[in-house]
Amino acid sequence: MAESNVKKLAATLIDAVTDKDPLVQEQLCNSLCYLGESKTEETLNACDEYLRQHEKLAYPYRVIILKAMEMIVKNNIDELDGRTAKIVIILASNEMTRSKELILDWQQAASSVLVAVGKRFINKVMEEVLTKFQPGILPHYFVMQTFANLSITNVFGMVPFLNSILSTMLPMLNLARQDQMKSVFCFALQHFSDSILEYLANLDQAPDPTVRKDTFSTEIFSAYDVLFNHWLQSREGKLRLAVVEALGPMSHLLPNEKLEEQLPKLIPGIIALYKKHAETFYVSKSLGQILEASVNMGSRTLEVQVDMLLAALHPQICAPVDSLNPLVIKNHNEVLRCFTILACSFPDRLLAFLLPKLENNNERIRVGTLHIMRQVINSASAQMEIKKPFILSSMKFPLLDTNNKVKRAVVQVISAMAHHGYLEQPGGEMMIEYILRQCALPPEPVLKKQFPENEDFLASDSVRTISINTLYLISTTVDRMNDVLWPYLLEFLIPVQFTNALTPLCKSLMHLAMKRQEEGENSFLIQYDSNVNLPSPFALTTRLLIVSSHPYLGEGRGAASLRLLNVLHLNIHPLLGQRWQKTIPPLVNYLEEHNEETLSQKEWEEKLLMFLRDTLMVVSDNTWICQLSLEMCKQLNCYNGTPLEKNFLYKCIGTTLGATSNKEIVRKHLQELLETARYQEEAEREGLACGFGICAISHLDDTLIKLEDFVKSDIFRKSVGIFNIFKDRSDTEVDKVKSTLILCYGQVAMHAPQELVLARIESDILRNVFQYFNTKDVTLKLCLIRSICMISQAMCKSVPSSPFVFSQKAELVAQMMEFIRAEPIDFLKTAIRKRAMIACTYLSTLEPPLEDLDKAELVHSCLHSVLALPSDAGITSSCQQTLYFDTMTALMDLLTSLLLRNLTPQGLQNMFEHLTPWIKSPKGHERERALGLSAYLLRYFLEHLNVIAIVPFHNLGLLVGIFSPRCADSLPSLRHDALDCVYSLLYIQLFYEGFAQDYQDEVAEKLLSLKDSLNDPDVTVLFHTCYSIAQIIGKRLPPDQFISLLLTAFEGLKDPDVNCARAATVIINCLLKERGAVLLEKVPEIVGLIHGKLCEVKDEHVAKAIQQSVYLLASQHRTAVVASLLASPLPFDSHTCYLWRALATEPTLTSQVLELLLDKMNKDVPFTENKSFLLSSTYDRVATVIPLAATCALYEIMSAPESGAAVLGLYPELFVTLLLRVSCTVGVQLPRNLQAKERKGASSRLAPRNLEPCSCAVETLQAMLFRGGSGEVITYVGLDGGWELMKTSEGHEEGVTLLARAMAKHSGPKLPLIVKTLIPVLSSVYEIQRITTTAYFAELLSSNVVNDLILLESLLENTMGRQKDVCTNVRRLVLRGLANIATGSPDKVRKHGSQLLTAMINGLDDKDDPHNLMALEAMLGLSRLLDLVEEWDVRSILLHITIRIRPFFDNERDEFRSSSVNLFGHLNKFCHGNCEDVFFEQIINGLAGLLLHLQDPKPPVVSACKFALRMCGPNMGCEELTALFEKQLHDGRGLHFGEFMNDTSKYLMQNFPDTLGRLINTNLFYFKSCWEDIRAAAPMFIGFLVLHADKVACEQVDLKQLISALQLLLKDPAPTVRIKAAETLGRLVKFA
C-alpha cells in the first residue's frame, strides 16, 4: 500500500510538470526531491517508470524530472542501493542517447544524473556507458562529455578506466567528421589530462600508487598528433580553441623527448592562433602550460623559440584591457605568467627584448612594456638582482614621456623598484623626483569630470592619485627607503613646480622625520654643510608658513605644512621646540574645526601673523631675523603665479621687518619692495600696502621717508628717473603705482602708533595723497577713498587722547561727494559709493562740524545716489549683492552719524525732509529703501536720545501722518518698517514728556503684537490692523498734534499707492469715531441708499465708514433693517455682506438680530418637493428662499469677531437649528432662478460665497461654533473630513457622529441644553432629522461626559424608545448607541445588561434587514458589551450567538468577517463550566478558518483573527498553542506565516490528533476560496498537519480525496496556489 501511495504522489507531481510557470516547475521539482529524501528508491523508480511510460513527453518536461532525479541522487547518494542505481543509470543512459541529434538541455540533464550516480557507483556507470562506447563506432556526444565530467568529479575512480577509454577513443579520432564531435573529444582529453595530473599529484591518497605518467604518455601523444597536426588546422574557431585548451594540460603528459621534439612546431602553432582568435585567453593559458612543461623538463630547444615567443606575447600585453570583460583580464594575467616563466629562465634575452621597446613611438607598446617590467621586477627578483643598474639606466626615456598612461605605468614600475631595492642604486633619485613631479600635476578640474570620454585627462588625474599613494606607501612601509628619502625629499619643498605635491610631500616627510626622531637626535638633525642642495631653515620656515595661508588648497596643505614645521623645529632653531609644541597644534585644530566655506581668511591670516610674531620674539636674534627677512624677499618672485599667497608674504615681510632693530636692513628691504612690486596685480598692491603698514608699527619714520622718496621719483612724471624699472610704464601702469602708494599711506596711518600718527597726517600723509584726487581711474579712486577711510579712522582713534581740529575736513567731504555724484545711478558696479560714504562717516565725527548747507547737500547726494538705483541695481552675482548691502549699510552709518550731531526734533525733521519724497515714491523699491532707512534712523534716534528737560515734540503729528498709512503699503515688506517708525515716534514723544528711557508703555507695546497681522494677505485683516494702529496713535497723540495728523492723513489720500490711500481713510475714520453720526428716518430707503453708495465707491475705507452708519441705524430699527437686508437678492453681494457684518458690532443688538433670523428659519419649511419635469414620477427637493437667506445672513454676522458674546448667549438654539438645517439640506437643490445665478457667479472672476444649501448650512454651523468658543470642535471634525461627510447622503451619519464626539470632548458643558432642545426632534416628521438626532445621541452615549452631566438615563430612555422606528437606519443607530454605553458608561452596563443584550439579539435576528446591516451593528455591539455584562446573562445565549455569527467568517465583505471573528474571540471568555465542551467543538469548527484568514487581504480581518486565536488558546487546553498564539499573534508584530503554521500544526497534532480529519476537510472547503492567498494557505496548512501527524492519525485522512483535491489545485490560475499545492503533495510522503 505504501509503495502505491508514493507512486501516486510522485505521479501526481510528475503529471504537473507541464505547468508553464517556472516557479511552479521549480516547486514541483523540489517536492519530488522532498519525496525522494524519505523514499529515495520509490521516488526514483516512479520517475523512471513515468519517463518510460511517457515516451512522447516533450523534452523540456523530461529535463525537470531528470533534474529532480539528479538532486535526489546527489543528496542521498549514500542511501542509494545498487539495484536502484542501476535502474537510474540505465534510464539516464537511454535518455542521454535516445536522440542522435544534440538537444543540449535534455541530454545534459541525463548526463548530470550519470555523473551524480558516478560519484559512488562509478563502476556501474562505466559499465553502462561503456556499452555506448564501442570500438570503431563514433560515440554519442554526451557519452564523451559524461566521461570528461566523471574524470573531474571522481578522479580516483575514473583514472583506472582512462587507459582503456583512451585506447578505444584514439582510433575514433580519425572517424570524427563533425566539429561538435571533435570538440567533445578535445574536451574529454583536456579533462582526462587534468584528472591524471591531479591523480599523480596526490599519489599518496590514490588507490593505485603505482600509476605513472608513462602509463598514459603514448596514448596522449597519439591523441596529440591528431589534435595538433590535423584538427588545429580547422577553419572552425571553436574547434581550434577546444584543441588549444586540451593541448595545454596534455603537454605535461607527453614523453619528454616527444615534447622536446614537438616544441619547434608546437609553440609556433599555438602562437599562430593569436592572429585567428579575438578571445585569446585559452591560447595564452595553454601556451603558459606548455612553457611550464618545457621548463620543468629542462628543454634545450625552448631557447631557440624565445624571440618568437616574446614577439608574440608582447602585443598581447600592449593590447587595451577591457575591465568589464573577465576573459580579457584573465588573458592579460596568463600572458604575464608566461613572461614570468621566461624571465626566470632567460633574463638577459628578455631584457634585451624589452628595454628598447621603452623608446618606441607607439604609446601602447611603451605602456605594455612597462607592465611587463613591473611583473618581472616583482616575480623574478633573484634573476634581476644583478640587472638593477642596467634597468635603472633604461628608464631615462620613459621618465621623459608625457603620455599620461605611460606615466601611470612608470609610477607602478617605480613602486615595484622601491620594494626590491632599485632606488638605493645610483640613479634612484631621479625616480623619486619623477614621482614627485607626478604628485605635482594639477588636480582634475570639476568640469572635466563630466567628460569621461577624455581618457587622457582621466589618466592625468589617475597618475597624480597613484603617484601620491606610491609616495606615501614607499615612505611609510618600505623601511629600506628611509635613508634614501631623508632628508632628500626636503629639496622639493621650495621649488614652485612642486607646489601641488606639497600635501603628500609634507605627510611623507613628517612620517620620515618622526622615524628619525625615534632613532635619536643625531639621526634627526640635518647636516646642512654636507647637503648643500637642501633648503635653509629660513627657506623652509618661509615656504611652509606662506603655503599655510590658504590652508585648504592642495587637499589641505595648510595643516600638513604646519605639522611638518612643528616636527622640524630642531632643524629650524633650537629654541622653538617647546614654543611650537604649544602654538602649532591649536592652529591645526582650528583648521580641522572649519572648512573652506566657514574659515575666515582674515582671522586665519591674523593667527599666522601672530604665530610669526611669537616665533620672532622667542628667537630674539637680530641676525636670524634679518636672514629670515632676506629669505622672504628672495621668495617673492616665486609667488608671482599665486597673488593671494604673495599678498600674505608681503604681510610676513612687514611683520619680520617690524621685529628687527636694524634700520638699514628695513630701509633696504622697503626700497627693494617698492622697486620690484608688480603693481598691475591688485592682491600684490594690497599686500605691499599691508606690509608697509605693519612695518610702520615699529618703523614709522623710516616707512614715511621711503614713501616720500618714492613720491619724488621721476616715475610720476613719466620720464627716465632713478628707477630704471619704471621708465617705459604707460599712464595706466602709473595709476596703479599711484594707487599702491596711496594705499600704503592709508595702511601706515591705520597701523602707526596712535600717539605719533596725528602729527604726521596733514604734514606727511595727506600732503602726498591730495595731489592725486583729480583722476578718472576707478582703481585710483577706490584706493584714494580707502586711504581716506583709513586715515580718518586713525584720526578718530587718536582724537580721544588729544584735542584735534581737522582743517581739511570740508575739502575731503566735498571731494567724496564729487566721487559719489560721478557714479551712474542706473547700476551699481563699483564700491566707490560705499567707500566714499564710509569716508564721510568717519570725517563727520571730526571737528569742525559741517555747515548746514554742506550737510544737506551731502545727505541729498548720498540718498539720490543709492535710493535711485533700479530695483535690481544691475546685480547679477552674489558679489554684487553683497556690494549692494554694504552700500546701504554705509548710507545708514553716514545718516546716523550726521543725526547724532543734531539729535533734536528739528534735526529729525531736517533728515526726513530729504527722505519724505522717497517714502512716497511711486516706485516700490525706492519706498522700501527709504522706509528701511527711516526705521533705522528713528530707532537710532530713540536709542541715543537723552532728554534733559521736558520739551514739545512739535512735529510728531506730521511724522506719524507720513508713516502710519504706509503700514498698509502694497509691498508687504515695507509694513513692518512703517510700524516700527510709528512705534519709535510714540516712544520719542513719551521720552519728551518726561518718561524714563527704560519705560515701557502698555499702549505703545501693542503695536508690536500687530506685526503678524500686517502680513495677512486678507485686506480686511490688514485694514483692521491699521484701525488698531490708529486707535493706539489716538490714545497717545497730544491734543495739539491732532489737527496736524489729520491734515497729513488727508494728504495721504493722494498717495500713489492705493493701499496707503485706503489706510489713510481707516485712520481718519477711527479718529472721527467719537464725533457721532446722523440717523436717517426711513430704514428701507436708507438701507438701499447705503447699498447704492457702496456699489459706487471703489475704495474700501469708504465702505468701512458707511458700516458705522448701518450699525447706528439697526440699533434703533433692527426689525426693519433685518427685513430690508433679507430682501436683498441672493447670493448676497459683497456690499450686502458688509452691511450684515455691521450688525455684529454690539452684543445686545447682535443677539436680537440672531433671534429674528432663527425665527425666520424655524417658521418656514426647509424645502419643497417639486417634479423635476412635468411627466417625471420623482420629486426633487428645492430649498425655500427665506431660510436660505437667513442662513447666509447668520454666516455673515457670526463671521464678525464682535458677535461672540451674542452667539454664546444663544448657543443651544443656534447649534440645534443649524444642525437640523444641515440635515434638511442634504441633497436639496437651489431654486432654478438661483441656480442660474450660482452658475454665473462660479464662472466670474470674483465669485460670491457658495450658495449650495447644504454647504452654506455647514459653513454657517462652523462659523457659529468658532464664534461660540468651540474652535477645537471645528478642527477635530475637519481632521477626519467630517464636514465634507456631513454634506453627503452616504457620509452624513459619520459626519454627525464626528461632530457629537467633538462636542463631547471639547464643549461638554454646553450639552445639557443641546440635548434638551434635540429630544423633541426624535419624533420629527422628517426622517432625516430623526436619523441625525439618533446618530448624535448614539455618539454622545460613547462619552463619559453624559454621566458627569447626568444625561445618561434620559439619553438611554429616549434612544431605546426608537427601537421600533420604521426607518432601518434609525434602528441601526439605536443599536450603535446602546453599544456605545460600554465606552461612555461601562459601570452602568451591568444595570441594563439584559435590556442591552436583548436589543442586540433582536438586531441579529432582525428580519427586515436584507443587507444584514443590523446584524453587523449587533455583532460590533456585542463585542463591546460582553466584557461588562453579567456572565449568566451571556451563557444562555452563547451557543445561539456562536451559531448565528459563524457564517459571517467567510462573508465577502471584510467588515462582516472582522466583526464576526472579533465577537467570536470575545465569546471565548464565557465558555467555562457547562459550556466548555460545547464551545470547544465550536473552536475546532472555526479554527481552520481563523488560521487561514490570517492571510486575508484586509488588515482588520487579520487583526481580528489574531485576537480570536489568542482568546481561543486557553480554552483549547494546550499550553504550547496558548504560548505560541500569545507570542506571535500581536497587532503590529510581523508574522512569518509559514513558520507559524508549522508550529501550530505541530502542537495541534501533538495534542489533538483526532482533529486531523476535520481540519483537513475544513481546509478542502477553502480550496475554492475567492482569495488567492487563502487558497494558497489551505494546502500549506494541510501539508504541515500531515508533516506532524503520526501514522495513527493519518488513518483519518481520505488520501484519495485529498490527492484529487490537490490535483485540481495544481490547475489553479494563480501560480502561488499551484506552488503550495505542489509543496503539500511532497509532504504527503507521510502516508507512504
Side-chain angles (χ1 to χ4, degrees), residues 595-612:
N595 55 43
E596 200 163 0
E597 288 74 28
T598 62
L599 183 78
S600 167
Q601 184 64 27
K602 184 178 179 181
E603 288 182 17
W604 174 243
E605 288 187 6
E606 187 53 46
K607 284 180 180 292
L608 289 179
L609 292 174
M610 184 67 73
F611 166 72
L612 176 59

Side-chain angles (χ1 to χ4, degrees), residues 654-673:
T655 303
T656 308
L657 290 176
T660 183
S661 58
N662 190 329
K663 294 187 176 294
E664 187 63 33
I665 290 292
V666 172
R667 289 193 290 270
K668 177 185 176 185
H669 285 319
L670 290 178
Q671 179 77 19
E672 289 175 358
L673 293 179

Side-chain angles (χ1 to χ4, degrees), residues 842-856:
Y842 286 117
L843 289 168
S844 67
T845 62
L846 300 172
E847 295 295 335
L850 289 172
E851 297 290 335
D852 289 342
L853 286 177
D854 293 339
K855 188 188 299 183

Side-chain angles (χ1 to χ4, degrees), residues 132-290:
K132 314 283 185 178
F133 187 64
Q134 298 299 322
I137 302 172
L138 273 178
H140 192 281
Y141 177 94
F142 272 94
V143 168
M144 295 309 303
Q145 182 153 319
T146 303
F147 283 156
N149 290 331
L150 281 169
S151 69
I152 296 301
T153 56
N154 192 344
V155 173
F156 293 140
M158 191 63 184
V159 168
F161 289 97
L162 290 183
N163 245 331
S164 172
I165 292 172
L166 288 169
S167 299
T168 306
M169 186 180 77
L170 288 175
M172 296 176 181
L173 298 180
N174 294 319
L175 299 176
R177 295 290 180 264
Q178 294 182 349
D179 289 338
Q180 279 183 330
M181 203 63 217
K182 293 177 181 179
S183 294
V184 80
F185 277 132
C186 292
F187 180 77
L189 285 166
Q190 176 193 351
H191 284 71
F192 291 166
S193 300
D194 286 333
S195 179
I196 293 167
L197 290 172
E198 184 176 346
Y199 191 99
L200 293 173
N202 297 281
L203 276 176
D204 55 330
Q205 303 172 27
D208 183 5
T210 62
V211 174
R212 293 289 180 266
K213 168 183 168 181
D214 301 342
T215 310
F216 308 96
S217 296
T218 304
E219 288 78 5
I220 292 295
F221 178 71
S222 299
Y224 162 83
D225 183 57
V226 174
L227 267 61
F228 180 73
N229 292 317
H230 299 285
W231 292 0
L232 190 60
Q233 318 307 321
S234 171
R235 294 180 180 178
E236 176 57 42
K238 290 182 180 179
L239 175 58
R240 291 198 301 270
L241 287 180
V243 171
V244 167
E245 282 192 84
L247 289 177
M250 286 172 68
S251 65
H252 285 275
L253 297 175
L254 292 177
N256 290 346
E257 66 279 4
K258 293 295 184 182
L259 178 59
E260 184 78 4
E261 177 188 319
Q262 292 296 318
L263 279 179
K265 294 186 294 181
L266 176 58
I267 291 176
I270 299 295
I271 288 173
L273 294 177
Y274 276 127
K275 297 180 181 178
K276 298 180 180 180
H277 292 276
E279 296 289 351
T280 55
F281 162 65
Y282 303 106
V283 179
S284 300
K285 181 181 178 183
S286 180
L287 186 57
Q289 291 171 320
I290 293 169

